[in-house]
Amino acid sequence: MVRKNYPEEFKADAVALFLSDPAKTYKQVADDLGIHRATLRLWVIDAQEKGTASARPKPGRKPVLRGNLSSDDVLEEENQQLKARVRELELERDILRKAAKFFRGRDELVSRFEFVDDHKNTFGVKRLCRVLELARSSYYRWLATAPTRLARKRADDALAVEIRRIHTEEDGTYGSPRITAELQAQGLEVNHKRVERVMRERHIVGAHLRRKVRTTIPELDATPVPDLLKRDFTASAPNQRYVGDITYLPIGDGKFLYLATVLDLGSRRLAGWSIADHMRTKLVTDALEAAARTRGGTLDGAIFHSDNGVQYCSKDFEETCARLGVTRSRGAVGTSADNAAAESFNASLKRETLQGAHGWTSAGEARLAVFTWVTRYNTKRRHSRLGQISPIDYEKTAGSLTAAA
């Protein structure tokens, strides 16, 4: 069911998404968001009149072909060529700026290959290799070895699960040396350098003098809720079983935004989410309300599974679930594997939006990055569990639900 009343935050994010890409039309962006093009156009005009949105840059013009041209036409052609060259130089500057952030603290050669692969659809392989002084044959050779790297990544993911388990059991106090010792004591052959790298890539940190970001704070006195999933993160159809979690979004200077998610296990669609500068219960209730709007106003009969954070154990969240017809489910205290599907989704989102950077420069940039990624994830990104189609296309094909933004 198409939503009629859109939250102001959704409108602002939709306007920012349209203005961020001069090459996209109103219809293209509106189709991605599941709204009418006229609705999006009105939002953009209204935001610009209020001064909350800037004018959209115009896409570049094509150069004039030479022929029997007047002197004025020749000057105009040369002017257009100069402008095209300026745009090319600006693109190269943008590539180098992005590359500087991407390469920070990483192996330079491997990072160049990864950077080309991540940005080839935006800038093109030829241009990227030229700017980065990289042989295209070397890039394609690196691309051919992807299966080996994938196997290594899977091994790292398995190791990360064990690291998170030990880290949680020790109340977040263990750093890489103690976690390495614990893993070796359990019979796993691993060195401290690999443990340190896996922890750094997944933002797992031990206790130290800097402020630690902790999104899951257990509520010891909460009324017990059974685990209805038992680590079975599947569903026979959409709108039956959901998982959710809170993750942090670093925005520089030690500040953070917080993202709450509601993921449908049947279609793998992010049905609802909420971003705020706090971790109060409203963060998670807003995300669940958003999922309900996506599903036509109710989640009657669905299961929602989470960890034991105070937000999910609160009375307000319990009442919201009851009002929406949701049956609550929670994993064991201190066991991240009981909510692995939600944590894996959040990890993928942050890894692919940050692309190696330490954080965003502003809250607005972080919001736009997440909104863009989520839109692409739901409408475009192919999912292996769904037969290599996107979550919304899967829902349309299955005919189980009416796709909504």
Side-chain angles (χ1 to χ4, degrees):
M1 181 181 293
V2 178
R3 291 179 293 173
K4 300 300 182 183
N5 296 319
Y6 297 90
E8 291 301 318
E9 182 180 13
F10 180 88
K11 294 180 181 180
D13 287 336
V15 171
L17 179 62
F18 172 76
L19 296 178
S20 67
D21 189 352
K24 288 288 186 70
T25 64
Y26 279 110
K27 186 176 187 307
Q28 290 173 326
V29 176
D31 287 348
D32 286 347
L33 297 176
I35 60 178
H36 195 277
R37 62 175 297 280
T39 301
L40 176 60
R41 184 172 179 274
L42 288 175
W43 291 350
V44 172
I45 294 173
D46 183 61
Q48 290 175 338
E49 288 178 349
K50 291 180 179 178
T52 59
S54 59
R56 192 186 197 201
K58 296 181 179 179
R61 294 171 55 190
K62 295 182 179 179
V64 180
L65 297 177
R66 285 187 177 273
N68 297 324
L69 303 176
S70 66
S71 58
D72 288 342
D73 290 335
V74 171
L75 289 174
E76 176 63 19
E77 178 188 354
E78 292 176 349
N79 186 39
Q80 293 302 320
Q81 291 174 349
L82 288 173
K83 288 181 178 179
R85 178 55 181 161
V86 169
R87 286 193 295 271
E88 180 67 23
L89 291 174
E90 288 175 345
L91 277 176
E92 293 181 4
R93 180 199 61 192
D94 291 343
I95 290 172
L96 292 174
R97 284 180 176 176
K98 289 179 179 292
K101 295 180 180 179
F102 191 91
F103 298 161
R104 189 181 300 153
R106 307 174 68 186
D107 179 85
E108 182 179 349
L109 182 59
V110 173
S111 294
R112 281 192 285 171
F113 291 141
E114 293 177 348
F115 183 83
V116 171
D117 199 50
D118 287 350
H119 295 81
K120 61 185 178 184
N121 292 331
T122 303
F123 299 108
V125 172
K126 183 177 180 180
R127 179 187 284 115
L128 287 165
C129 288
R130 173 172 54 80
V131 173
L132 299 178
E133 299 180 352
L134 186 68
R136 273 184 285 170
S137 59
S138 299
Y139 162 71
Y140 288 117
R141 191 181 309 116
W142 172 85
L143 205 60
T145 61
T148 302
R149 294 195 306 278
L150 179 59
R152 185 166 60 247
K153 179 185 180 300
R154 287 174 175 168
D156 283 349
D157 288 342
L159 177 61
V161 172
E162 294 301 310
I163 291 174
R164 287 187 185 279
R165 176 181 59 79
I166 295 172
H167 187 261
T168 301
E169 290 174 352
E170 299 300 331
D171 295 328
T173 59
Y174 273 16
S176 59
R178 288 189 174 91
I179 289 181
T180 301
E182 185 69 22
L183 289 169
Q184 291 173 345
Q186 295 176 11
L188 185 62
E189 295 184 3
V190 63
N191 61 49
H192 73 280
K193 291 184 178 179
R194 184 182 176 198
V195 173
E196 182 180 352
R197 174 178 57 80
V198 171
M199 291 180 66
R200 181 176 63 250
E201 291 173 349
R202 289 157 178 79
H203 307 289
I204 306 172
V205 295
H208 48 69
L209 295 178
R210 288 168 51 186
R211 180 165 62 92
K212 179 178 179 291
V213 179
R214 190 179 183 189
T215 55
T216 302
I217 304 174
E219 178 56 76
L220 301 180
D221 298 329
T223 303
V225 170
D227 183 351
L228 302 179
L229 299 192
K230 301 297 184 182
R231 301 188 184 181
D232 176 15
F233 302 114
T234 60
S236 58
N239 201 26
Q240 292 182 349
R241 308 171 92 189
Y242 294 88
V243 293
D245 195 15
I246 299 174
T247 191
Y248 70 95
L249 306 173
I251 56 174
D253 297 329
K255 298 180 180 179
F256 302 93
L257 290 178
Y258 299 93
L259 168 69
T261 53
V262 180
L263 183 70
D264 190 318
L265 292 177
S267 64
R268 297 291 158 163
R269 177 180 185 177
L270 188 65
W273 74 94
S274 176
I275 299 177
D277 59 359
H278 62 80
M279 287 199 299
R280 296 189 291 274
T281 301
K282 191 176 187 304
L283 177 68
V284 296
T285 56
D286 282 352
L288 197 61
E289 294 276 9
R293 290 194 297 270
T294 297
R295 296 312 190 197
T298 180
L299 298 173
D300 192 31
I303 293 173
F304 178 79
H305 181 84
S306 68
D307 57 26
N308 286 271
V310 292
Q311 300 87 353
Y312 296 111
C313 299
S314 69
K315 187 68 174 177
D316 286 346
F317 186 73
E318 179 182 356
E319 292 174 352
T320 299
C321 288
R323 176 167 50 82
L324 297 175
V326 173
T327 300
R328 291 180 298 153
S329 170
R330 292 204 296 263
V333 175
T335 305
S336 60
D338 284 353
N339 201 25
E343 294 199 7
S344 176
F345 175 85
N346 288 341
S348 296
L349 184 152
K350 288 168 66 176
R351 181 175 62 251
E352 296 183 18
T353 52
L354 284 171
Q355 297 186 353
H358 293 296
W360 291 277
T361 58
S362 67
E365 183 184 3
R367 283 178 177 274
L368 179 59
V370 171
F371 189 76
T372 302
W373 189 92
V374 168
T375 299
R376 186 177 69 250
Y377 172 86
N378 278 338
T379 63
K380 302 288 186 183
R381 179 170 169 152
R382 298 179 184 275
H383 204 296
S384 59
R385 288 180 176 270
L386 308 177
Q388 296 298 344
I389 62 176
S390 72
I392 289 182
D393 284 342
Y394 175 81
E395 291 184 357
K396 290 178 180 178
T397 302
S400 301
L401 294 167
T402 301

